[in-house]
């Protein structure tokens, strides 16, 4: 017999590695998104950020040793992990450590890499050396890389979203999928997101452009893709679900002060779909 209060139900675990942002992006966005979508986030801090809704003051990276210790201690007890999402990588060491940690997880684990370079209110989050070249140890374990257009062009030197997506996905050691989002460059009324698989065009998605400044939309999207994969969806289906989910959150965004709004990550609990 099970004692009263003893947990018997399990929910998919999503390992989320990123920065703590007290103004609501980064790990907070990851935890809220995983929770809203029926998963449980296992958050590992790659760094602290000192910021508010108006701007980033400073990033304090967690050392490689401390990062590894967080992961090892957590994973010796929790598990099995059903998907992983990687956000802010504030040092080369953090990228290498995350790659090393992923190598110890089962092959085939869906890993979503959001190569976030700048805070939504401005300011550098990613180590400058990584913006030109992400380490192979990390890419080889990545299933889907999700840069916005600016990040994709910075990482590849490409001239277009298509060329960047083709360069970012491929056969190992490249990630199988690249989703290049157009949120930072809206066209008249709509935003286009390109999904490439193994270096080839797979499909594209369009979402309505919503006027305003939002904080943590990229984190929400990439965590939602990871949560979808953890729930058993294919990466392609998880991207479609995650885009709808993130758009809904943006439509219902709320303000906590400053210039940017925060997507409501449990918007659909109100029972409506925009
Ligand atoms: N990660 C951290 C720690 C951040 O502070 C931010 C934004 O400030 C992001 C990621 C990316 O935010 P967004 O989802 O708005 O691109």
């Amino acid at each position: 017999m099970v004692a009263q209060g003893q947990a018997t139900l399990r929910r998919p675990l999503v390992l989320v590695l990123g920065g703590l942002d007290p103004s609501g992006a980064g790990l907070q966005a990851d935890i809220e998104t995983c929770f809203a979508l029926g998963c449980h986030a296992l958050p590992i801090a790659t760094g602290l950020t000192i910021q508010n809704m108006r701007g980033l003051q400073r990033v304090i990276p967690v050392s490689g040793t401390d990062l590894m210790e967080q992961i090892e201690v957590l994973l010796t007890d929790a598990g099995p992990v059903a998907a992983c999402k990687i956000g802010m990588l504030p040092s080369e060491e953090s990228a290498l450590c995350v790659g090393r940690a992923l190598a110890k997880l089962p092959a085939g684990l869906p890993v979503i890499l959001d190569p976030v370079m700048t805070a939504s209110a401005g300011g550098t989050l990613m180590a400058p050396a990584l913006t030109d070249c992400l380490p192979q140890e990390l890419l080889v374990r990545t299933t889907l890389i999700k840069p916005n257009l600016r990040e994709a062009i910075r990482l590849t030197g490409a001239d277009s979203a298509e060329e960047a997506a083709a360069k970012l996905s491929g056969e190992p050691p490249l990630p199988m999928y690249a989703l290049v989002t157009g949120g930072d460059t809206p066209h008249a009324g709509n935003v286009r997101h390109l999904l490439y698989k193994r270096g080839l065009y797979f499909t594209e998605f369009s979402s309505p452009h919503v006027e305003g400044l939002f904080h943590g939309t990229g984190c929400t999207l990439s965590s939602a893709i990871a949560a979808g994969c953890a729930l058993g969806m294919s990466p392609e289906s998880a991207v479609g679900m995650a885009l709808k989910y993130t758009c809904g959150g943006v439509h219902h965004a709320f303000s906590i002060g400053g210039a940017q709004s925060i997507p409501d990550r449990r918007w659909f609990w109100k029972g409506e779909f925009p």
Side-chain angles (χ1 to χ4, degrees):
M1 205 171 100
V2 177
Q4 210 179 11
Q6 190 175 325
T8 52
L9 291 175
R10 296 215 166 259
R11 61 182 64 184
L13 300 180
V14 183
L15 183 66
V16 294
L17 303 109
L20 181 69
D21 168 6
S23 54
L27 286 177
Q28 182 174 356
D30 300 334
I31 295 166
E32 289 183 1
T33 300
C34 289
F35 178 70
L37 293 175
C39 297
H40 179 77
L42 301 174
I44 299 288
T46 56
L48 305 178
T49 67
I50 298 183
Q51 65 177 313
N52 59 25
M53 308 300 285
R54 294 180 193 277
L56 174 78
Q57 305 282 320
R58 196 154 69 88
V59 176
I60 305 166
V62 164
S63 74
T65 319
D66 292 340
L67 183 54
M68 288 309 268
E69 192 178 344
Q70 288 183 74
I71 300 171
E72 276 163 18
V73 169
L74 178 66
L75 294 188
T76 50
D77 188 37
V81 169
C84 174
K85 182 244 152 151
I86 302 157
M88 182 180 86
L89 294 169
S91 66
E92 283 181 86
E93 193 188 22
S94 61
L96 288 170
C97 286
V98 171
R100 230 175 285 145
L102 291 177
K104 293 186 192 159
L105 294 172
L109 177 80
V111 175
I112 314 304
L113 172 60
D114 183 359
V116 53
M117 292 184 185
T118 50
S120 19
T124 303
L125 293 172
M126 181 183 263
L130 297 173
T131 59
D132 295 324
C133 181
L134 289 167
Q136 190 151 319
E137 290 89 332
L138 187 58
L139 290 177
V140 76
R141 300 296 305 195
T142 299
T143 313
L144 184 148
I145 183 165
K146 185 223 72 70
N148 61 32
L149 182 57
R150 226 173 322 152
E151 291 159 350
I153 284 175
R154 180 68 210 249
L155 283 170
T156 58
D159 291 325
S160 65
E162 287 79 1
E163 188 190 344
K167 281 186 168 174
L168 286 167
S169 70
E171 299 301 330
L174 288 175
M176 187 185 292
Y177 298 90
L179 174 69
V180 176
T181 60
D184 54 341
T185 53
H187 297 284
N190 276 314
V191 186
R192 195 166 76 111
H193 315 286
L194 275 182
L195 182 64
Y196 271 54
K197 183 176 184 181
R198 294 201 169 95
L200 298 173
Y201 176 86
F202 186 75
T203 190
E204 65 187 74
F205 302 86
S206 173
S207 50
H209 172 61
V210 181
E211 260 337 298
L213 297 170
F214 302 97
H215 194 68
T217 50
C219 306
T220 304
L221 176 62
S222 44
S223 299
I225 300 171
C229 291
L231 292 164
M233 294 179 192
S234 65
E236 298 90 309
S237 306
V239 168
M241 177 280 289
L243 280 165
K244 281 189 192 151
Y245 169 71
T246 305
C247 285
V250 167
H251 269 93
H252 293 87
F254 60 96
S255 171
I256 59 165
Q260 300 189 322
S261 308
I262 296 189
D264 183 348
R265 301 188 184 97
R266 31 139 250 179
W267 63 271
F268 59 89
W269 293 3
K270 297 169 193 147
E272 53 198 25
F273 216 89

